[in-house]
Amino acid sequence: MSALRSLQARLALCLAGVMLIAAGIAGTVSYRTAFHEVNELQDDQLRQMSALAKRRHLATPYGLQDLDNQVVDVGARIMVQVLHQGAWGDVEGAELPLPLAADLPDGLQTLEVQGQQRRLFLRTLPGGERVAVSQSTAVRDEVAHNAGKTTIVPIAALIPVLALAMIALIRHMLAPVLRLAQELDRRGDDQLAPLDDSDVPSEVLPFTAAINRLLHRVELALAQQRRFVADAAHELRTPLTAISLQAELLAGLNLGEQARPRLQSLQRGILRARHLVAQLLLLARLQGREDAHRDAVAVGLVCQSVLEDLLPLADHKQIVLTANVDMACSVHSDAMDLSAVLRNLIDNAIRYTQPGGQVGIDIAYHGAALHIRVSDNGPGVPAHERELVLSPFYRGAAATGSGSGLGLAIVHNIVQRMAGTVALNASGPDAGGLTVRIALPIPSTESPALPTPDVLHFQ
């Protein structure tokens, strides 16, 4: 079924059918033409044999006696016979003459003699003798058939060559369409530039033009969505700041015992809302900008700054933070982007790990890439949800922390822009915990620094 849906396969089958029909017609015509021409050539041979007998008669008064009564051409089984003297010559393998009637007209004719079809040419010589030159039609047909077969062999040999050439031409003609499909497959979610259809066949141009128009509409819709998210986040910042100030003012007042827990709950809600707005603004900034200018960034210094900022959150939950970072590591990136990646990874690990848990960070060179690994012993993410949690606002069913569902989406977006990869796996053998591994490529023009004893150990 898939082969019949292939345009190449259908074109090849249709053209192969047409080619076979054309080859059959050409072979039939060629065979019949060769068969007819060879028969005419053999008729001319009979005439020439009779003309030879006529010339020998003019030179020798006694007719054809000098031919020694032998078959003229044994291979072709041509027999010469003088009618008024009875039989002259022998049929190969027989001594009896052909019983030909003396009143046969001159010229070419086909007779059945002794149960065998023979082609006969009669000529009357100047002395009155009549010479009959005959040949078996079976022999003639065999020679004509062989000649006809020789005309079919080249056509039959050319069919597979033409079939291979036809398949190669079809693939060459449709190669631009395949290149477009491969280009679309290699594109990221945010790469919506129009397709280059300069070398696309004119029959496919309407299709590629429709795809380009669709890409343009999708780009406009995404831009509008991003503007909405950014504008909404900006608009929310001011009222959230005002509410946060009001909450702080309330906290300074002498409130009753019943109002104090509610105020604390309100403050936690405001903090979550402000965190969500900050994440939305960061995501909108990442999605709406072009590739940032990248310089060599010291990964260890950025990680140290992030750990210092998040240490109070870890202390509040009594989570043990451990870090092993090669301070010689660097990567071509925007410093704010790298900080956002590390901050979101470590913040997520702290938020979703139960109090008293552990979070580990390892950063080092492995091969031609910089590897960042953040692991925890929290509830983890089921295998079927590990791709989904990289999407915005998706939170797993087992998530218990106060996250917004944007952290890993932001990490994934930034790592994609840096041509890196993100992989999620379980931390322990019992599928518990979560380990996020990031691999960032190192430019081939630079070689990774050799390991040095300058390693950040944070605990």
Side-chain angles (χ1 to χ4, degrees):
M1 182 64 68
S2 60
L4 294 178
R5 295 185 62 181
S6 170
L7 183 59
Q8 292 188 25
R10 283 186 286 178
L11 281 174
L13 288 175
C14 293
L15 291 177
V18 172
M19 183 177 62
L20 288 176
I21 293 174
I25 295 174
T28 302
V29 172
S30 178
Y31 178 86
R32 291 183 176 274
T33 301
F35 188 89
H36 178 72
E37 292 294 333
V38 171
N39 273 324
E40 287 190 350
L41 182 62
Q42 293 181 107
D43 288 342
D44 290 338
Q45 188 178 12
L46 297 180
R47 293 189 186 95
Q48 292 171 4
M49 294 295 294
S50 65
L52 177 62
K54 177 180 179 181
R55 288 196 299 272
R56 297 297 294 272
H57 173 75
L58 293 176
T60 306
Y62 294 99
L64 300 176
Q65 295 177 1
D66 58 329
L67 294 178
D68 197 21
N69 294 339
Q70 298 296 322
V71 175
V72 175
D73 189 341
V74 176
R77 298 187 181 181
I78 297 176
M79 179 177 181
V80 179
Q81 183 174 345
V82 181
L83 295 187
H84 79 281
Q85 294 178 349
W88 179 87
D90 297 324
V91 177
E92 184 181 9
E95 298 179 354
L96 297 177
L98 296 178
L100 301 177
D103 58 349
L104 290 174
D106 287 356
L108 285 168
Q109 49 198 295
T110 302
L111 299 176
E112 183 176 350
V113 181
Q114 295 181 339
Q116 182 183 38
Q117 292 285 333
R118 297 188 70 86
R119 185 71 167 168
L120 183 69
F121 182 80
L122 279 86
R123 180 189 292 273
T124 301
L125 302 180
E129 298 93 343
R130 303 191 67 198
V131 177
V133 183
S134 63
Q135 185 181 24
S136 170
T137 55
V139 176
R140 290 165 57 91
D141 290 344
E142 182 180 358
V143 174
H145 283 307
N146 291 334
K149 290 176 183 178
T150 58
T151 63
I152 298 177
V153 170
I155 298 176
L158 280 176
I159 289 177
V161 176
L162 291 176
L164 293 175
M166 175 187 64
I167 293 174
L169 285 174
I170 292 175
R171 288 183 177 178
H172 176 72
M173 295 300 178
L174 296 178
V177 181
L178 181 60
R179 284 196 295 270
L180 286 180
Q182 293 172 346
E183 179 187 347
L184 285 174
D185 285 337
R186 289 192 297 266
R187 287 189 176 189
D189 297 338
D190 57 344
Q191 295 177 331
L192 299 174
L195 297 173
D196 181 14
D197 54 4
S198 56
D199 59 345
V200 174
S202 58
E203 291 80 5
V204 189
L205 279 177
F207 183 67
T208 56
I211 291 179
N212 285 335
R213 290 193 294 269
L214 176 61
L215 290 174
H216 181 64
R217 293 195 297 269
V218 172
E219 185 177 18
L220 292 178
L222 288 178
Q224 183 179 6
Q225 179 184 359
R226 291 165 185 164
R227 286 195 300 270
F228 171 77
V229 172
D231 294 342
H234 276 292
E235 292 296 326
L236 286 173
R237 292 181 70 178
T238 301
L240 282 175
T241 303
I243 294 173
S244 178
L245 291 174
Q246 294 296 329
E248 291 179 5
L249 292 175
L250 285 175
L253 298 178
N254 187 15
L255 300 177
E257 293 298 329
Q258 293 182 349
R260 184 68 60 181
R262 296 183 181 181
L263 177 60
Q264 293 175 353
S265 177
L266 175 62
Q267 289 177 324
R268 288 193 297 268
I270 293 173
L271 286 176
R272 287 195 298 270
R274 294 184 67 178
H275 178 71
L276 174 60
V277 169
Q279 294 285 72
L280 285 174
L281 286 173
L282 177 58
L283 185 61
R285 179 178 66 85
L286 293 172
Q287 292 179 340
R289 72 170 186 180
E290 301 294 332
D291 289 340
H293 178 69
R294 296 175 181 174
D295 293 317
V297 179
V299 182
L301 296 179
V302 175
C303 183
Q304 185 176 7
S305 175
V306 171
L307 287 173
E308 290 174 353
D309 292 342
L310 294 177
L311 184 59
L313 179 60
D315 288 340
H316 178 71
K317 294 187 66 174
Q318 298 179 347
I319 291 177
V320 178
L321 279 177
T322 59
N324 293 297
V325 182
D326 186 350
M327 297 300 288
C329 290
S330 64
V331 66
H332 270 69
S333 172
D334 180 72
M336 293 183 62
D337 287 351
L338 182 60
S339 176
V341 169
L342 294 174
R343 186 178 300 276
N344 278 282
L345 288 179
I346 301 172
D347 182 78
N348 266 15
I350 295 174
R351 288 178 182 274
Y352 290 103
T353 301
Q354 66 276 10
Q358 295 180 351
V359 174
I361 302 100
D362 292 282
I363 301 177
Y365 286 127
H366 292 289
L370 174 69
H371 287 254
I372 301 173
R373 183 175 66 88
V374 178
S375 59
D376 60 64
N377 60 349
V381 178
H384 65 278
E385 292 184 345
R386 289 172 188 166
E387 289 292 331
L388 299 175
V389 295
L390 299 178
S391 304
F393 300 107
Y394 184 87
R395 300 190 69 200
T400 56
S402 58
S404 59
L406 290 173
L408 288 178
I410 292 173
V411 170
H412 187 232
N413 187 286
I414 296 175
V415 172
Q416 274 191 326
R417 289 177 176 273
M418 299 172 65
T421 58
V422 180
L424 278 65
N425 301 100
S427 296
D430 57 350
L434 180 67
T435 297
V436 181
R437 289 183 173 86
I438 294 176
L440 300 177
I442 301 172
S444 57
T445 56
E446 297 184 1
S447 59
L450 294 175
T452 66
D454 187 12
V455 178
L456 170 64
H457 295 288
F458 189 95
Q459 187 168 354

